[in-house]
Amino acid sequence: MAFRDLVLSSPILEAIREAGYTEPTPIQAAAIPPILAGHDLIGIAQTGTGKTAAFSWPVLTKLSEQPPQGGRRAPRALILAPTRELAAQIQENIRAYGKHLPLRAASVFGGVSERPQIEALRSGVDLLVACPGRLLDLHGQGYGDLSAIRYLVLDEADRMLDMGFLPAIRQILRKLPRERQTLLFSATLSPEIESLAREFLRSPKLVEIGRRSNPAQTVAQFVYEVAPHLKTALLLHLLKDPKLDMVLVFARTKHRADRLARQLERSGVKTATLHSNRSQSQRMRALRDFKAGAARLLVATDIASRGIDVDGISHVVNFDLPQNPEDYVHRIGRTGRAQAIGDAISFVSPEERGPLRSLERFLGRGIPRKQAEGFHHDVPAPEPSAREERTQASSERPLRPSRAPRAWTRAPRARRSPV
Ligand code: AMP
């Protein structure tokens, strides 16, 4: 399918040409025609498939075809997103795709001052991107008129449910006109998502890209079996390969993310960190440094990584396996984005063998094991400070020389991490 076969408005087609895209991605080809035809829609697609454009382009097209009535500029489209990073990202995309259209967009999310957001709402917008909590706050204060909404998008609906936003979503939806078009996007089609769709959508079309649990096809995945105390050394060893030039690393907890980042920095690897204990401006700076190449690595936790849209990530490293398989799929979708080939590497310690088996069952296939060439287990590691020694997870003891031929089988059982 070519872009011209999608009946999008010509200013949007022009912005698409300027973005350098050559053809619609599968989710765009499948979702845009039914959206333009006015249907409610459930889109099952992971991040990295082009799903933001799949709903933004038709919604912008529809908004541009219907100028606001009587000069009133209450938002006519509302996009709900789970995190501020994702909301900011969506607004950035919409600004780029709608740059040749006379439409105004604003975003509202927590963690930053309300003032500029209130000002934007006051001056009138056509399209509003919002996190549910801040939207309700502002609406409660009399800002953000929702009575003119004709198009509603629930983006990463599965994550919104995971984060406990269902009551807030229900409250918001009660304030919207019944006559509207509703689009729901989710990485998976769980029973919870099906029931959400039954509650809020009318005879929706279902568009599902890839198998329910299928991670982006372009990502090559490997498992490195490694003792827990050797994970940092293994990462440093792999980083000798310059092909790992833009690496997103996932750690299980904020504490482990911080600690790993400090160890990497001490070893001379420029590293940024992203987790929910960091302020909005620290998170923005971390993302900026990573995107600009000032930091080669970005160490993140799952929740903070939602909405990260960075082109050119060469590798995703699961320093720790995620708690659930959906998060794995989501994590590895950060590389291999927009058809580039990326590698997803998981460090799996003996304690993580059970979760790995569950993950492989979920994926319906095994993940190939790989040995790190030239990695000997006596690689010296940077010494943690005395304070860190006291706080570090017991499963990550400082490195010591080991003569064990395979750390995998010999590693002692680690107690559960206190973090
Ligand atoms: P998303 O799934 O919305 O997070 O999008 C993933 C990435 O794909 C973003 O960086 C978009 O800029 C990019 N993208 C969206 N549509 C296309 C397309 N048709 N061709 C190439 N890249 C695209």
Side-chain angles (χ1 to χ4, degrees):
M1 182 184 266
F3 279 120
R4 63 173 180 281
D5 300 327
L6 301 171
V7 200
L8 297 165
S9 78
S10 28
I12 294 174
L13 289 173
E14 197 180 330
I16 293 174
R17 251 193 318 276
E18 286 165 14
Y21 304 161
T22 50
E23 57 178 353
T25 64
I27 185 75
Q28 291 160 4
I32 291 174
I35 299 176
L36 286 173
H39 293 288
D40 281 8
L41 181 120
I42 306 173
I44 303 299
Q46 281 118 29
T47 303
T49 54
K51 69 179 171 61
T52 312
F55 61 75
S56 305
W57 295 339
V59 167
L60 285 169
T61 295
K62 282 174 172 279
L63 289 178
S64 68
E65 285 166 355
Q66 307 153 5
Q69 296 296 307
R72 188 164 157 259
R73 241 175 153 120
R76 290 174 291 143
L78 172 65
I79 299 171
L80 290 178
T83 63
R84 48 195 178 189
E85 280 79 11
L86 183 61
Q89 196 68 60
I90 294 171
Q91 202 206 346
E92 207 177 287
N93 284 357
I94 283 181
R95 199 171 285 151
Y97 301 142
K99 66 181 178 185
H100 301 303
L101 288 169
L103 295 171
R104 291 194 214 146
S107 55
V108 302
F109 45 79
V112 293
S113 160
E114 291 180 347
R115 273 288 123 213
Q117 300 178 356
I118 291 174
E119 283 311 311
L121 292 175
R122 267 213 189 116
S123 62
V125 297
D126 301 290
L127 187 151
L128 182 60
V129 187
C131 291
R134 174 61 65 93
L135 178 63
L136 280 174
D137 274 0
L138 295 181
H139 193 269
Q141 297 174 46
Y143 305 107
D145 175 2
L146 299 176
S147 65
I149 299 292
R150 291 289 171 270
Y151 308 100
L152 169 71
V153 181
L154 300 166
D155 194 17
E156 299 205 353
D158 48 345
R159 181 53 50 150
M160 289 205 274
L161 295 185
D162 287 352
M163 289 169 75
F165 282 139
L166 185 57
I169 292 174
R170 282 210 176 101
Q171 255 180 290
I172 292 168
L173 269 85
R174 274 201 294 273
K175 302 179 195 303
L176 304 183
R178 282 178 171 279
E179 251 337 287
R180 58 160 204 266
Q181 188 177 1
T182 306
L183 316 173
L184 180 157
F185 283 80
S186 167
T188 53
L189 184 59
S190 61
E192 292 76 21
I193 288 295
E194 285 175 24
S195 111
L196 186 73
R198 262 197 304 277
E199 198 175 337
F200 298 125
L201 276 66
R202 277 196 291 195
S203 319
K205 301 274 178 212
L206 175 68
V207 168
E208 195 167 1
I209 297 303
R211 224 159 38 86
R212 197 181 283 205
S213 56
N214 204 10
Q217 295 293 337
T218 49
V219 179
Q221 303 163 57
F222 297 105
V223 157
Y224 286 87
E225 298 176 335
V226 60
H229 64 285
L230 292 171
K231 285 187 173 185
T232 308
L234 177 59
L235 180 56
L236 284 167
H237 176 79
L238 294 176
L239 286 169
K240 288 180 194 156
D241 183 344
K243 282 210 282 296
L244 283 83
D245 62 349
M246 197 173 184
V247 186
L248 179 57
V249 182
F250 285 97
R252 193 176 54 234
T253 63
K254 300 168 207 173
H255 168 68
R256 279 173 71 79
D258 278 337
R259 185 163 166 276
L260 174 62
R262 281 199 300 273
Q263 288 176 325
L264 292 167
E265 279 281 336
R266 269 201 297 271
S267 303
V269 182
K270 285 272 165 246
T271 305
T273 41
L274 193 76
H275 57 63
S276 52
N277 269 10
R278 313 212 85 206
S279 69
Q280 179 68 1
S281 63
Q282 284 174 322
R283 293 198 211 182
M284 292 293 189
R285 185 163 354 108
L287 271 178
R288 221 177 21 247
D289 286 352
F290 186 52
K291 284 184 185 179
R296 180 179 176 199
L297 262 70
L298 180 66
V299 184
T301 55
D302 282 298
I303 209 84
S305 75
R306 283 275 152 181
I308 294 179
D309 177 14
V310 181
D311 285 334
I313 291 178
S314 65
H315 294 75
V316 167
V317 176
N318 295 310
F319 193 77
D320 303 305
L321 272 190
Q323 302 281 348
N324 59 62
E326 283 89 356
D327 280 335
Y328 176 87
V329 173
H330 183 80
R331 286 179 179 188
I332 74 163
R334 305 293 155 167
T335 185
R337 298 171 70 85
Q339 316 301 315
I341 300 292
D343 280 359
I345 298 166
S346 298
F347 291 179
V348 176
S349 66
E351 294 73 32
E352 294 172 298
R353 250 185 290 197
L356 176 63
R357 267 196 302 275
S358 317
L359 171 63
E360 291 181 324
R361 262 198 308 275
F362 176 85
L363 298 174
R365 66 184 185 93
I367 305 174
R369 308 301 195 257
K370 211 169 182 176
Q371 299 279 337
E373 240 172 79
F375 179 61
H376 304 297
H377 300 156
D378 51 0
V379 181
E383 279 300 314
S385 70
R387 197 182 64 77
E388 281 175 80
E389 292 261 15
R390 280 200 306 279
T391 55
Q392 76 194 351
S394 57
S395 59
E396 261 244 299
R397 285 177 301 279
L399 296 184
R400 58 187 154 73
S402 158
R403 273 172 283 112
R406 273 190 74 191
W408 173 244
T409 48
R410 294 284 181 92
R413 270 181 79 80
R415 278 168 284 132
R416 280 203 70 70
S417 153
V419 283

PDB file of all heavy atoms in Angstrom, residues 190-210:
ATOM      1  N   SER A 190      -5.947  -8.470  26.278  1.00  0.00           N
ATOM      2  CA  SER A 190      -6.232  -9.273  27.474  1.00  0.00           C
ATOM      3  C   SER A 190      -7.744  -9.230  27.744  1.00  0.00           C
ATOM      4  O   SER A 190      -8.452  -8.383  27.204  1.00  0.00           O
ATOM      5  CB  SER A 190      -5.481  -8.677  28.661  1.00  0.00           C
ATOM      6  OG  SER A 190      -5.937  -7.351  28.875  1.00  0.00           O
ATOM      7  N   PRO A 191      -8.230 -10.114  28.612  1.00  0.00           N
ATOM      8  CA  PRO A 191      -9.662 -10.053  28.974  1.00  0.00           C
ATOM      9  C   PRO A 191     -10.031  -8.673  29.538  1.00  0.00           C
ATOM     10  O   PRO A 191     -11.128  -8.181  29.302  1.00  0.00           O
ATOM     11  CB  PRO A 191      -9.798 -11.139  30.047  1.00  0.00           C
ATOM     12  CG  PRO A 191      -8.663 -12.080  29.799  1.00  0.00           C
ATOM     13  CD  PRO A 191      -7.546 -11.272  29.223  1.00  0.00           C
ATOM     14  N   GLU A 192      -9.097  -8.038  30.275  1.00  0.00           N
ATOM     15  CA  GLU A 192      -9.389  -6.708  30.853  1.00  0.00           C
ATOM     16  C   GLU A 192      -9.597  -5.682  29.750  1.00  0.00           C
ATOM     17  O   GLU A 192     -10.461  -4.822  29.827  1.00  0.00           O
ATOM     18  CB  GLU A 192      -8.234  -6.236  31.755  1.00  0.00           C
ATOM     19  CG  GLU A 192      -8.050  -7.026  33.041  1.00  0.00           C
ATOM     20  CD  GLU A 192      -7.386  -8.374  32.813  1.00  0.00           C
ATOM     21  OE1 GLU A 192      -6.718  -8.542  31.760  1.00  0.00           O
ATOM     22  OE2 GLU A 192      -7.551  -9.271  33.653  1.00  0.00           O
ATOM     23  N   ILE A 193      -8.759  -5.772  28.697  1.00  0.00           N
ATOM     24  CA  ILE A 193      -8.892  -4.827  27.582  1.00  0.00           C
ATOM     25  C   ILE A 193     -10.204  -5.085  26.844  1.00  0.00           C
ATOM     26  O   ILE A 193     -10.913  -4.156  26.465  1.00  0.00           O
ATOM     27  CB  ILE A 193      -7.682  -4.966  26.618  1.00  0.00           C
ATOM     28  CG1 ILE A 193      -6.427  -4.393  27.266  1.00  0.00           C
ATOM     29  CG2 ILE A 193      -7.931  -4.310  25.273  1.00  0.00           C
ATOM     30  CD1 ILE A 193      -6.477  -2.884  27.511  1.00  0.00           C
ATOM     31  N   GLU A 194     -10.546  -6.378  26.695  1.00  0.00           N
ATOM     32  CA  GLU A 194     -11.810  -6.694  26.017  1.00  0.00           C
ATOM     33  C   GLU A 194     -12.986  -6.109  26.790  1.00  0.00           C
ATOM     34  O   GLU A 194     -13.928  -5.567  26.222  1.00  0.00           O
ATOM     35  CB  GLU A 194     -11.956  -8.210  25.837  1.00  0.00           C
ATOM     36  CG  GLU A 194     -11.059  -8.719  24.721  1.00  0.00           C
ATOM     37  CD  GLU A 194     -11.082 -10.236  24.579  1.00  0.00           C
ATOM     38  OE1 GLU A 194     -12.067 -10.867  24.989  1.00  0.00           O
ATOM     39  OE2 GLU A 194     -10.098 -10.779  24.039  1.00  0.00           O
ATOM     40  N   SER A 195     -12.898  -6.178  28.130  1.00  0.00           N
ATOM     41  CA  SER A 195     -14.038  -5.660  28.894  1.00  0.00           C
ATOM     42  C   SER A 195     -14.066  -4.126  28.862  1.00  0.00           C
ATOM     43  O   SER A 195     -15.131  -3.514  28.818  1.00  0.00           O
ATOM     44  CB  SER A 195     -14.042  -6.259  30.306  1.00  0.00           C
ATOM     45  OG  SER A 195     -13.749  -5.329  31.270  1.00  0.00           O
ATOM     46  N   LEU A 196     -12.882  -3.497  28.827  1.00  0.00           N
ATOM     47  CA  LEU A 196     -12.829  -2.036  28.686  1.00  0.00           C
ATOM     48  C   LEU A 196     -13.465  -1.618  27.349  1.00  0.00           C
ATOM     49  O   LEU A 196     -14.242  -0.664  27.279  1.00  0.00           O
ATOM     50  CB  LEU A 196     -11.366  -1.571  28.733  1.00  0.00           C
ATOM     51  CG  LEU A 196     -11.114  -0.072  28.735  1.00  0.00           C
ATOM     52  CD1 LEU A 196     -11.491   0.527  30.082  1.00  0.00           C
ATOM     53  CD2 LEU A 196      -9.631   0.238  28.448  1.00  0.00           C
ATOM     54  N   ALA A 197     -13.151  -2.371  26.305  1.00  0.00           N
ATOM     55  CA  ALA A 197     -13.684  -2.059  24.976  1.00  0.00           C
ATOM     56  C   ALA A 197     -15.205  -2.230  24.967  1.00  0.00           C
ATOM     57  O   ALA A 197     -15.928  -1.424  24.385  1.00  0.00           O
ATOM     58  CB  ALA A 197     -13.033  -2.951  23.926  1.00  0.00           C
ATOM     59  N   ARG A 198     -15.679  -3.288  25.638  1.00  0.00           N
ATOM     60  CA  ARG A 198     -17.146  -3.495  25.695  1.00  0.00           C
ATOM     61  C   ARG A 198     -17.829  -2.333  26.399  1.00  0.00           C
ATOM     62  O   ARG A 198     -18.904  -1.898  26.018  1.00  0.00           O
ATOM     63  CB  ARG A 198     -17.448  -4.808  26.441  1.00  0.00           C
ATOM     64  CG  ARG A 198     -17.695  -5.982  25.510  1.00  0.00           C
ATOM     65  CD  ARG A 198     -18.377  -7.146  26.228  1.00  0.00           C
ATOM     66  NE  ARG A 198     -17.623  -7.583  27.404  1.00  0.00           N
ATOM     67  CZ  ARG A 198     -16.586  -8.420  27.354  1.00  0.00           C
ATOM     68  NH1 ARG A 198     -16.181  -8.901  26.202  1.00  0.00           N
ATOM     69  NH2 ARG A 198     -15.957  -8.775  28.452  1.00  0.00           N
ATOM     70  N   GLU A 199     -17.135  -1.788  27.409  1.00  0.00           N
ATOM     71  CA  GLU A 199     -17.743  -0.708  28.186  1.00  0.00           C
ATOM     72  C   GLU A 199     -17.797   0.610  27.395  1.00  0.00           C
ATOM     73  O   GLU A 199     -18.747   1.357  27.499  1.00  0.00           O
ATOM     74  CB  GLU A 199     -16.919  -0.526  29.469  1.00  0.00           C
ATOM     75  CG  GLU A 199     -17.623   0.233  30.560  1.00  0.00           C
ATOM     76  CD  GLU A 199     -16.805   0.275  31.865  1.00  0.00           C
ATOM     77  OE1 GLU A 199     -15.940  -0.605  32.084  1.00  0.00           O
ATOM     78  OE2 GLU A 199     -17.022   1.218  32.634  1.00  0.00           O
ATOM     79  N   PHE A 200     -16.769   0.889  26.612  1.00  0.00           N
ATOM     80  CA  PHE A 200     -16.640   2.243  26.061  1.00  0.00           C
ATOM     81  C   PHE A 200     -16.693   2.351  24.541  1.00  0.00           C
ATOM     82  O   PHE A 200     -16.745   3.454  24.014  1.00  0.00           O
ATOM     83  CB  PHE A 200     -15.324   2.881  26.533  1.00  0.00           C
ATOM     84  CG  PHE A 200     -15.256   3.048  28.022  1.00  0.00           C
ATOM     85  CD1 PHE A 200     -14.195   2.523  28.752  1.00  0.00           C
ATOM     86  CD2 PHE A 200     -16.253   3.744  28.697  1.00  0.00           C
ATOM     87  CE1 PHE A 200     -14.135   2.675  30.121  1.00  0.00           C
ATOM     88  CE2 PHE A 200     -16.204   3.905  30.067  1.00  0.00           C
ATOM     89  CZ  PHE A 200     -15.139   3.363  30.790  1.00  0.00           C
ATOM     90  N   LEU A 201     -16.603   1.234  23.823  1.00  0.00           N
ATOM     91  CA  LEU A 201     -16.567   1.334  22.360  1.00  0.00           C
ATOM     92  C   LEU A 201     -17.866   0.797  21.765  1.00  0.00           C
ATOM     93  O   LEU A 201     -18.529  -0.044  22.379  1.00  0.00           O
ATOM     94  CB  LEU A 201     -15.375   0.550  21.787  1.00  0.00           C
ATOM     95  CG  LEU A 201     -14.029   1.288  21.772  1.00  0.00           C
ATOM     96  CD1 LEU A 201     -13.505   1.567  23.150  1.00  0.00           C
ATOM     97  CD2 LEU A 201     -12.986   0.507  20.987  1.00  0.00           C
ATOM     98  N   ARG A 202     -18.188   1.301  20.571  1.00  0.00           N
ATOM     99  CA  ARG A 202     -19.414   0.839  19.912  1.00  0.00           C
ATOM    100  C   ARG A 202     -19.067   0.068  18.645  1.00  0.00           C
ATOM    101  O   ARG A 202     -18.431   0.628  17.741  1.00  0.00           O
ATOM    102  CB  ARG A 202     -20.286   2.032  19.560  1.00  0.00           C
ATOM    103  CG  ARG A 202     -21.124   2.455  20.765  1.00  0.00           C
ATOM    104  CD  ARG A 202     -22.233   3.353  20.349  1.00  0.00           C
ATOM    105  NE  ARG A 202     -21.701   4.631  19.909  1.00  0.00           N
ATOM    106  CZ  ARG A 202     -22.443   5.719  19.750  1.00  0.00           C
ATOM    107  NH1 ARG A 202     -23.736   5.668  19.934  1.00  0.00           N
ATOM    108  NH2 ARG A 202     -21.902   6.855  19.376  1.00  0.00           N
ATOM    109  N   SER A 203     -19.441  -1.205  18.601  1.00  0.00           N
ATOM    110  CA  SER A 203     -19.167  -2.100  17.467  1.00  0.00           C
ATOM    111  C   SER A 203     -17.783  -1.858  16.880  1.00  0.00           C
ATOM    112  O   SER A 203     -17.651  -1.532  15.695  1.00  0.00           O
ATOM    113  CB  SER A 203     -20.196  -1.917  16.344  1.00  0.00           C
ATOM    114  OG  SER A 203     -21.478  -1.765  16.872  1.00  0.00           O
ATOM    115  N   PRO A 204     -16.736  -1.985  17.699  1.00  0.00           N
ATOM    116  CA  PRO A 204     -15.410  -1.647  17.189  1.00  0.00           C
ATOM    117  C   PRO A 204     -14.890  -2.643  16.169  1.00  0.00           C
ATOM    118  O   PRO A 204     -15.231  -3.827  16.209  1.00  0.00           O
ATOM    119  CB  PRO A 204     -14.536  -1.695  18.447  1.00  0.00           C
ATOM    120  CG  PRO A 204     -15.250  -2.632  19.364  1.00  0.00           C
ATOM    121  CD  PRO A 204     -16.706  -2.470  19.091  1.00  0.00           C
ATOM    122  N   LYS A 205     -14.075  -2.158  15.249  1.00  0.00           N
ATOM    123  CA  LYS A 205     -13.306  -3.033  14.364  1.00  0.00           C
ATOM    124  C   LYS A 205     -12.043  -3.419  15.142  1.00  0.00           C
ATOM    125  O   LYS A 205     -11.497  -2.595  15.881  1.00  0.00           O
ATOM    126  CB  LYS A 205     -12.873  -2.294  13.097  1.00  0.00           C
ATOM    127  CG  LYS A 205     -14.032  -1.759  12.292  1.00  0.00           C
ATOM    128  CD  LYS A 205     -14.555  -2.821  11.347  1.00  0.00           C
ATOM    129  CE  LYS A 205     -15.748  -2.317  10.565  1.00  0.00           C
ATOM    130  NZ  LYS A 205     -16.722  -3.323  10.230  1.00  0.00           N
ATOM    131  N   LEU A 206     -11.594  -4.647  14.946  1.00  0.00           N
ATOM    132  CA  LEU A 206     -10.376  -5.092  15.623  1.00  0.00           C
ATOM    133  C   LEU A 206      -9.243  -5.199  14.616  1.00  0.00           C
ATOM    134  O   LEU A 206      -9.393  -5.840  13.580  1.00  0.00           O
ATOM    135  CB  LEU A 206     -10.599  -6.454  16.289  1.00  0.00           C
ATOM    136  CG  LEU A 206      -9.365  -7.093  16.921  1.00  0.00           C
ATOM    137  CD1 LEU A 206      -8.901  -6.312  18.145  1.00  0.00           C
ATOM    138  CD2 LEU A 206      -9.644  -8.541  17.314  1.00  0.00           C
ATOM    139  N   VAL A 207      -8.130  -4.537  14.907  1.00  0.00           N
ATOM    140  CA  VAL A 207      -6.962  -4.622  14.028  1.00  0.00           C
ATOM    141  C   VAL A 207      -5.815  -5.135  14.890  1.00  0.00           C
ATOM    142  O   VAL A 207      -5.460  -4.521  15.894  1.00  0.00           O
ATOM    143  CB  VAL A 207      -6.621  -3.231  13.462  1.00  0.00           C
ATOM    144  CG1 VAL A 207      -5.273  -3.251  12.797  1.00  0.00           C
ATOM    145  CG2 VAL A 207      -7.683  -2.785  12.482  1.00  0.00           C
ATOM    146  N   GLU A 208      -5.280  -6.286  14.544  1.00  0.00           N
ATOM    147  CA  GLU A 208      -4.250  -6.894  15.380  1.00  0.00           C
ATOM    148  C   GLU A 208      -3.021  -7.123  14.531  1.00  0.00           C
ATOM    149  O   GLU A 208      -3.096  -7.794  13.502  1.00  0.00           O
ATOM    150  CB  GLU A 208      -4.776  -8.207  15.957  1.00  0.00           C
ATOM    151  CG  GLU A 208      -3.955  -8.732  17.081  1.00  0.00           C
ATOM    152  CD  GLU A 208      -4.662  -9.869  17.840  1.00  0.00           C
ATOM    153  OE1 GLU A 208      -5.788 -10.234  17.436  1.00  0.00           O
ATOM    154  OE2 GLU A 208      -4.071 -10.375  18.797  1.00  0.00           O
ATOM    155  N   ILE A 209      -1.922  -6.534  14.936  1.00  0.00           N
ATOM    156  CA  ILE A 209      -0.697  -6.679  14.162  1.00  0.00           C
ATOM    157  C   ILE A 209       0.221  -7.667  14.872  1.00  0.00           C
ATOM    158  O   ILE A 209       0.618  -7.444  16.014  1.00  0.00           O
ATOM    159  CB  ILE A 209       0.005  -5.316  13.982  1.00  0.00           C
ATOM    160  CG1 ILE A 209      -0.887  -4.370  13.190  1.00  0.00           C
ATOM    161  CG2 ILE A 209       1.362  -5.479  13.318  1.00  0.00           C
ATOM    162  CD1 ILE A 209      -1.317  -4.881  11.832  1.00  0.00           C
ATOM    163  N   GLY A 210       0.533  -8.733  14.189  1.00  0.00           N
ATOM    164  CA  GLY A 210       1.405  -9.740  14.792  1.00  0.00           C
ATOM    165  C   GLY A 210       0.601 -10.581  15.775  1.00  0.00           C
ATOM    166  O   GLY A 210      -0.534 -10.273  16.105  1.00  0.00           O
TER     167      GLY A 210
END
